[in-house]
């Protein structure tokens, strides 16, 4: 209900997911608005159920409102349904802070882990960036957790054995960065992950690793800057071609290639961003999600459930914790 | 001597600056190598003097080597010449850490200020980013100094009255970020600068402000990511056009426009990055500087000297310090 473009994208995306992936969907939100969208778009409600809620979390609501004043919101209700076993995964395009807070309190985390937002950067090759904004302050140990969770995700979703893990830093040398990066470097080096060292900003677009680890502040700035530079250059290209009849003609020649390029760099093709570290699958779709993005987020939720990734994260987090204790 | 492409770019850039800007140049470095470059390129040494040094700082040398083991390096010597009044400004494309350390110890800073690297991002409109990597750990008060210095620079170099100052953050709300960003937001709001609030990564390319303030870690990641995304998209465009005869033909139609675009996004067009906060002008040119970048860095050094910017920074830093005391 709190997504930027209203309910239409969700209704259409859900219907598409039912037909393409044989999904069973529970839409949680305002019944009237949802039914109206089905009617206006002439869509079937087969395999789709509606759970009505009066209120919803807006983008401006404080994160904790989802577990305090707005326990009757669609986000709270959907998380509760997931926690209570009335669904296998939850997809939301709403307020990220509230989704994190709600997931942590209602769905719960895997013991000993922080939850991170893991976003796939649409670059040369898909690169998983975590944390994309959930944890502004972290410790080296938490960044190692993120690296471990990201590796497992990349293994299963990018089909890569031993995914390469890089640490976002302001230089390639091991002594670069704040105390956080320096200590994380040492821990990652000692870990059984495929750590390839520090990754500078200029290397981020060039697929030097499958998993990029950062604190949520840095990760969020990086994610949004990659997106911003993407739309910036797409705008610049448009300008190049719309100057005169000749350039417009030449635009036709490469039109197909540009569309392919656009599709390649369209984040919505990768579905949403999972909240890794939770005890059940929660997928954050982009706030401005339309039909295709919603459908892909649902596909991703299904893959996530079937991948056994949560079980694997829990198993390997126990090893992390054990080896910490052994060292202590 | 420590620049990526050897001395040729510096010799050619110096000769060009002599003829275009009537500059007087002291080249500090290995006399034999420098003279050889003049001879091989058939260039005149009019208005150019050479000060010979045996050693130089490599990109791998520790920052403090410039004031410890390598006091006979070209970087140390050039900074010493500047400090002793044998020149008005110093340009270097060498090891950034060493240049900072050397400048701080030999040239000295303006009383009460930290020195920041101020880089002009080649985007929609020139945007000054500081700190681009000199100060990994800062306080809110130091970020306000950076904002003040950046504003004065933007006033004089971008010809903007009351330049807009933005704080790089992970969200637009004032409560976003770590303690550092939250407290800096409050101080900037109270300052007499034209503070326009937090700037998210996705807004960085779109000229929402003339001065972008960040700690040196974040600033460095942002700067290098902007550069990296630039070369990434230029590469993508090349690929678009080199697929078949038709696309190659259409590339011809927009060739002029692409060159203009390349030039617009070429950081070397803006010269180098000044180290703001020093008592004398030191300009950091890009490590891979060639003739044009060196010439532009020299032009910028001349403008810097003539702008009176150091005097103005010193004057306004006294106000900053006084108002701090008044509040205490």
């Amino acid at each position: 209900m709190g997504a930027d473009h209203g309910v239409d994208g969700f209704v259409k995306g859900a219907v598409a997911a039912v037909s393409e992936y044989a999904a069973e969907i529970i839409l949680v939100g305002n019944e009237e608005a949802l039914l109206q969208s089905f009617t206006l778009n002439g869509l079937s409600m087969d395999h789709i159920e509606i759970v009505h809620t009066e209120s919803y979390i807006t983008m401006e609501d404080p994160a904790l409102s989802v577990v305090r004043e707005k326990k009757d919101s669609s986000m709270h209700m959907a998380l509760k349904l997931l926690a209570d076993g009335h669904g296998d995964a939850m997809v939301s395009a709403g307020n990220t802070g509230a989704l994190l807070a709600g997931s942590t309190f209602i769905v719960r985390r895997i013991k000993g882990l922080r939850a991170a937002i893991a976003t796939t950067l649409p670059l040369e090759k898909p690169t998983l960036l975590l944390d994309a904004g959930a944890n502004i302050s972290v410790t080296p140990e938490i960044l190692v957790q993120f690296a471990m969770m990201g590796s497992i995700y990349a293994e299963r979703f990018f089909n890569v054995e031993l995914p390469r893990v890089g640490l976002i830093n302001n230089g390639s040398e091991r002594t670069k960065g704040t105390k956080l990066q320096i200590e994380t470097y040492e821990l990652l080096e000692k870990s059984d992950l495929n750590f390839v060292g520090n990754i500078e900003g200029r290397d981020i677009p060039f697929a030097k690793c499958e998993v990029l680890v950062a604190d949520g502040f840095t990760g969020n700035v990086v994610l949004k800057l990659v997106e911003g530079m993407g739309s910036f250059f797409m705008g610049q290209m448009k300008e190049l071609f719309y100057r005169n009849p000749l350039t417009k003609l030449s635009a036709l020649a490469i039109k197909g290639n540009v569309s392919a390029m656009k599709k390649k760099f369209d984040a919505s093709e990768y579905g949403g961003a999972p909240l890794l570290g939770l005890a059940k699958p929660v997928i954050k779709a982009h706030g401005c999600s339309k039909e295709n993005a919603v459908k892909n987020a649902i596909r991703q939720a299904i893959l996530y459930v079937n991948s056994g990734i949560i079980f694997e994260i829990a198993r390997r987090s126990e090893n992390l914790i054990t080896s910490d204790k052994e060292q202590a």
Side-chain angles (χ1 to χ4, degrees), chain A:
Chain A
M1 297 304 300
D4 297 348
H5 297 302
V7 299
D8 261 13
F10 266 71
V11 167
K12 289 180 192 170
V15 170
V18 167
S19 89
E20 290 187 38
Y21 316 126
E24 303 273 331
I25 308 283
I26 308 173
L27 288 172
V28 187
N30 185 283
E31 187 162 27
E32 206 187 316
L34 289 166
L35 287 177
Q36 198 178 24
S37 172
F38 275 97
T39 312
L40 284 177
N41 294 294
L43 296 170
S44 150
M45 283 192 59
D46 279 359
H47 300 281
I48 296 176
E49 186 187 325
I50 291 177
V51 169
H52 174 72
T53 61
E54 281 294 326
S55 90
Y56 66 94
I57 306 287
T58 68
M59 289 296 181
E60 289 72 37
D61 277 329
L64 286 172
S65 63
V66 67
V67 284
R68 289 184 181 161
E69 309 87 41
K70 290 198 169 176
K71 285 188 185 161
D72 58 347
S73 61
S74 52
M75 189 186 281
H76 184 105
M77 191 62 78
L79 289 169
K80 191 81 176 49
L81 287 168
L82 176 65
D84 293 348
H86 297 297
D88 297 306
M90 188 268 203
V91 172
S92 170
N95 182 322
T96 308
L99 185 61
L100 258 165
S103 300
T104 304
F105 283 103
I106 302 167
V107 178
R108 304 273 172 175
R109 293 174 296 190
I110 297 168
K111 201 180 156 196
L113 295 183
R114 288 273 200 111
I117 303 178
T119 305
T120 304
L121 298 177
L123 292 167
E124 190 53 51
K125 287 186 179 174
T127 306
L128 191 74
L129 169 69
L130 74 168
D131 177 18
N135 306 272
I136 298 308
S137 298
V138 298
T139 62
E141 289 73 21
I142 292 171
L143 286 184
V144 174
Q145 289 179 2
F146 293 174
M148 178 272 286
M149 298 194 297
S151 291
I152 296 173
Y153 185 89
E155 261 171 39
R156 281 157 205 237
F157 279 77
F158 304 161
N159 289 315
V160 184
E161 258 184 89
L162 275 183
R164 294 166 300 167
V165 174
L167 177 66
I168 297 183
N169 209 334
N170 67 323
S172 54
E173 304 87 347
R174 57 183 302 138
T175 52
K176 285 287 181 175
T178 66
K179 202 163 162 264
L180 174 66
Q181 283 79 26
I182 295 169
E183 291 181 11
T184 303
Y185 191 107
E186 285 172 22
L187 289 183
L188 284 172
E189 214 177 22
K190 277 190 268 175
S191 76
D192 55 0
L193 300 166
N194 185 10
F195 179 52
V196 296
N198 291 327
I199 301 286
E200 295 186 85
R202 70 166 64 93
D203 293 328
I204 290 176
F206 295 101
K208 306 256 169 173
C209 58
E210 284 78 33
V211 181
L212 268 176
V213 175
D215 62 89
F217 179 85
T218 307
N220 188 272
V221 171
V222 163
L223 167 65
K224 289 175 178 166
L225 184 53
V226 166
E227 290 177 352
M229 290 297 288
S231 28
F232 178 66
F233 274 98
M234 285 298 173
Q236 291 289 327
M237 272 188 62
K238 243 189 189 161
E239 256 183 51
L240 271 186
F241 286 113
Y242 281 72
R243 288 208 186 152
N244 60 51
L246 186 61
T247 61
K248 281 185 195 169
L249 198 66
S250 76
L252 285 178
I254 60 153
K255 209 177 166 189
N257 297 345
V258 172
S259 303
M261 179 169 158
K262 259 195 180 159
K263 192 165 174 172
K264 186 169 161 193
F265 299 122
D266 181 357
S268 69
E269 289 294 319
Y270 292 108
L275 271 53
L276 297 180
L278 292 179
K280 295 198 169 190
V282 174
I283 309 286
K284 169 72 175 72
H286 218 288
C288 54
S289 290
K290 293 183 186 167
E291 174 177 352
N292 199 44
V294 171
K295 187 191 77 181
N296 286 330
I298 295 171
R299 183 196 61 199
Q300 195 191 8
I302 297 170
L303 290 173
Y304 197 93
V305 172
N306 293 337
S307 70
I309 183 174
I310 288 179
F311 177 80
E312 181 65 12
I313 289 176
R315 191 184 70 78
R316 285 181 54 185
S317 78
E318 275 173 29
N319 292 353
L320 272 188
I321 295 161
T322 318
S323 58
D324 273 0
K325 271 186 197 154
E326 276 165 7
Q327 280 174 18

